[in-house]
């Protein structure tokens, strides 16, 4: 009598490979790749998903053929000793389990909790500063949130931008150190994948008689106004003096690059 595990084990590898191929293509089809990796790697991910489905299909067919003709090869291969961290077949089980979790759990965009953990900033690392992007000067109100942050990297003096119009999109954070009457508008910047994403943003001075309760944390806003210099927590900061706050749904692509 052949143990159940020995009957099941040959099928785990092809099923796991197929599951990972399906998972990658599912993320692409459902638009979830936007919140997992940089667009530069979309094509590689799609090709990888198709390749895994191809490899998994071939291995699946090989297992079917082996069972049909009652091949002796799997029996003899059991005598070969392998050094592995896990018992034979268990690494494939973990590989399959990870794919199943990915198919079951829908990835979500990072929010304020992750942003506060990773640290809010109004600047980019030196390697991300690209002054050449400002040679074609756009109108100030056409700059995105990260473009304003890049401007601050080039010239950190907030008074240089006072009076310029602004119209930006981001999600709301209320850091503990931010005074009442302000909110922090943020976006995550992604370099390669979600694991290296980090938040950048700019404080927003709310209009008079505006309550924070009307704009809950993690909701998305389009903020219109003009740039001003405010002293916040003892530091002079470039701040958007808001004249218009519009609630918007989370963008299909929530990250900046």
């Amino acid at each position: 009598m052949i143990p159940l595990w020995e009957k099941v084990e040959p099928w785990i590898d092809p099923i796991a490979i197929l599951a990972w191929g399906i998972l990658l293509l599912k993320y692409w089809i459902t638009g979830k790749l936007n919140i997992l990796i940089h667009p530069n790697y979309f094509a590689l991910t799609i090709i990888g998903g198709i390749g895994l489905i191809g490899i998994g299909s071939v291995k699946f067919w090989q297992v079917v053929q082996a069972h049909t003709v009652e091949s002796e090869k799997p029996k003899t291969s059991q005598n070969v000793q392998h050094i592995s961290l896990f018992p034979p077949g268990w690494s494939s089980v973990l590989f399959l389990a990870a794919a199943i979790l990915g198919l079951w759990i829908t990835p979500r965009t990072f929010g304020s909790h992750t942003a506060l953990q990773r640290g809010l900033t109004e600047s980019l690392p030196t390697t991300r500063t690209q002054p050449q992007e400002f040679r074609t000067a756009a109108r100030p109100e056409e700059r995105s949130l990260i473009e304003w942050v890049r401007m601050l990297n080039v010239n950190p003096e907030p008074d240089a931008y006072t009076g310029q119009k602004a119209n930006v999109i981001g999600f709301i954070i209320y850091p503990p150190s931010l005074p009442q009457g302000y909110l922090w508008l943020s976006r995550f910047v992604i370099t390669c994948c979600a694991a290296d994403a980090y938040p950048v943003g700019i404080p927003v001075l709310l209009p008079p008689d505006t309550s924070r309760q009307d704009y809950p944390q993690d909701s998305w806003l389009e903020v219109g106004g003009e740039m001003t210099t405010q002293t916040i927590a003892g530091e002079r900061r470039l701040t958007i003096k808001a004249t218009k706050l519009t609630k918007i749904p989370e963008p299909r692509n929530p990250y900046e690059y």
Side-chain angles (χ1 to χ4, degrees):
M1 188 72 177
I2 301 176
L4 179 61
W5 173 249
E6 292 186 12
K7 293 180 180 180
V8 173
E9 183 182 358
W11 300 94
I12 296 178
D13 269 350
I15 292 174
I17 294 171
L18 283 169
W20 272 97
I22 293 169
L23 177 62
L24 294 180
L25 293 184
K26 176 196 172 185
Y27 285 154
W28 169 50
I29 293 169
T30 59
K32 295 302 182 182
L33 278 183
N34 288 330
I35 62 176
L36 294 173
I37 62 173
H38 194 286
N40 288 348
Y41 305 104
F42 280 10
L44 184 62
T45 302
I46 295 166
I47 293 171
I50 295 172
L52 287 172
I53 289 177
I55 295 170
S57 299
V58 171
K59 290 182 71 67
F60 194 90
W61 177 246
Q62 288 174 343
V63 175
V64 171
Q65 284 187 317
H67 277 70
T68 301
V69 299
E70 296 182 352
S71 172
E72 296 294 324
K73 187 174 181 179
K75 297 179 182 178
T76 59
S77 63
Q78 292 176 1
N79 297 326
V80 180
Q81 297 297 317
H82 296 280
I83 299 174
S84 175
L85 181 62
F86 301 103
W90 280 101
S91 57
S92 298
V93 170
L94 294 176
F95 188 57
L96 176 59
I100 292 172
L101 284 175
L103 290 166
W104 180 42
I105 301 172
T106 302
R108 300 182 62 183
T109 309
F110 290 140
S112 59
H113 179 71
T114 304
L116 291 171
Q117 280 186 328
R118 299 192 178 187
L120 301 176
T121 179
E122 297 160 272
S123 62
L124 297 169
T126 304
T127 55
R128 296 301 308 275
T129 306
Q130 299 174 337
Q132 67 270 20
E133 294 191 9
F134 306 112
R135 289 179 180 173
T136 55
R139 293 187 301 170
E141 59 268 31
E142 295 177 350
R143 295 172 188 152
S144 66
L145 191 64
I146 193 173
E147 286 174 331
W148 280 108
V149 172
R150 285 174 175 156
M151 294 286 289
L152 285 171
N153 268 84
V154 176
N155 180 8
E157 173 51 57
D159 287 347
Y161 313 103
T162 297
Q164 294 187 16
K165 299 294 182 182
N167 192 74
V168 295
I169 292 173
F171 67 93
I172 299 171
I173 303 176
Y174 291 116
S177 61
L178 195 67
Q180 290 291 328
Y182 293 86
L183 62 80
W184 187 278
L185 199 69
S186 186
R187 295 289 291 266
F188 273 94
V189 180
I190 186 170
T191 304
C192 176
C193 64
D196 63 26
Y198 57 93
V200 297
I202 291 178
V204 175
L205 176 62
L206 296 171
D209 303 323
T210 300
S211 171
R212 280 184 171 185
Q213 283 68 33
D214 296 331
Y215 303 99
Q217 190 161 257
D218 288 319
S219 59
W220 285 76
L221 277 183
E222 181 177 355
V223 178
E226 67 176 30
M227 290 300 186
T228 182
T229 301
Q230 298 286 317
T231 300
I232 302 174
E235 295 184 14
R236 295 171 62 254
R237 296 180 181 272
L238 182 65
T239 305
I240 303 174
K241 185 178 181 180
T243 56
K244 182 180 179 183
L245 300 170
T246 305
K247 296 179 181 179
I248 61 171
E250 180 181 304
R252 176 178 172 83
N253 188 357
Y255 294 137
E256 294 275 14
Y257 306 104

